[in-house]
Amino acid sequence: MPADHVAASGAAGRGSPQPPRTLTIEVAREIAPLQLVLDRGLSYRALTNAMSRPRLLAALTTTPGIQVVPRDGGLLANLRVADNLLLPLRWLRNADTSGALIRAQRWMMELGIDPARCAALGDAMPEALTIFETRAVAWVRALLLNPEVLVLDRLSEGLVKRELLSASRVRSVFQRAYPFRALLCVVEDAEAMEAGESFIDLRRMAAA
């Protein structure tokens, strides 16, 4: 579903100041609904554990307008990277794919991936990618789908130092592409927060 079809509250009457829209997500009965402010370019960091993370991701994945980038990338192993990028556009959006690979390559270069490597990634199979390249491709695929909210599941986990630097650019690249969209990072460790992030502690959530 296109981002502008996401169900959200906060619409104002004609002529009145436009309040921020909020997206309410029911995650579990024992905690208050998760509320994300839209149209303000806000970043959130959700601290989870082994019990709460699957429930949070399940709720997010089924919410229209949200694109979740899973830790393993979720790429189809039998398709080239280029086809992995274009398939959701063709089948989920029935959208024009012209220029999509050019945008994807530009975004990956903005993350710090070498231009020559970016040019070669389109013909590569997922098994030939590094952990970070796999996540970067999945992240770029989500951007191509015009998300209202972009969710990153443990983006930095298992990366080497050089890749961590590239991962740290994800927020700025996303905000340049979609200045007023929301970003939610799902983590299990109490990682250092970036300036301007809102913190959500979901560790108290019980098992389903």
Side-chain angles (χ1 to χ4, degrees):
M1 179 177 293
D4 55 356
H5 288 173
V6 67
S9 62
R14 181 177 298 179
S16 60
Q18 186 71 32
R21 295 183 301 145
T22 58
L23 179 61
T24 302
I25 305 166
E26 299 284 348
V27 179
R29 291 191 302 271
E30 66 270 22
I31 66 171
L34 186 66
Q35 290 197 326
L36 304 178
V37 177
L38 307 177
D39 308 322
R40 294 294 185 269
L42 299 182
S43 293
Y44 299 86
R45 186 172 296 259
L47 181 58
T48 64
N49 54 31
M51 291 186 294
S52 62
R53 191 188 69 256
R55 299 181 69 182
L56 172 63
L57 293 176
L60 293 169
T61 301
T62 56
T63 302
I66 291 182
Q67 289 296 321
V68 177
V69 180
R71 180 176 176 272
D72 64 3
L75 305 182
L76 297 177
N78 61 331
L79 294 182
R80 300 178 310 139
V81 165
D83 295 322
N84 267 286
L85 289 171
L86 297 178
L87 185 65
L89 284 172
R90 291 168 175 160
W91 290 97
L92 298 179
R93 297 285 192 271
N94 193 26
D96 180 11
T97 59
S98 60
L101 294 180
I102 295 175
R103 295 198 305 277
Q105 185 173 331
R106 183 183 73 246
W107 285 328
M108 285 190 279
M109 285 192 292
E110 289 181 18
L111 290 179
I113 299 177
D114 181 77
R117 179 57 177 164
C118 287
L121 280 178
D123 290 325
M125 300 299 289
E127 65 183 11
L129 306 184
T130 66
I131 293 175
F132 178 70
E133 286 173 345
T134 299
R135 293 176 190 169
V137 170
W139 173 75
V140 165
R141 180 177 61 181
L143 257 64
L144 290 172
L145 291 171
N146 188 27
E148 183 82 35
V149 180
L150 180 65
V151 179
L152 305 175
D153 177 23
R154 296 166 292 169
L155 175 69
S156 301
E157 190 173 297
L159 301 183
V160 299
K161 185 176 181 180
R162 176 179 55 82
E163 293 172 329
L164 286 171
L165 177 60
S166 292
S168 70
R169 300 187 178 112
V170 163
R171 178 182 172 187
S172 61
V173 176
F174 174 64
Q175 289 178 333
R176 283 197 297 272
Y178 298 107
F180 302 106
R181 304 290 172 84
L183 177 67
L184 172 61
C185 295
V186 179
V187 299
E188 282 196 350
D189 297 323
E191 302 173 4
M193 293 181 62
E194 297 183 24
E197 285 188 323
S198 297
F199 182 72
I200 306 168
D201 191 346
L202 298 176
R203 290 172 296 180
R204 67 186 183 279
M205 191 189 304

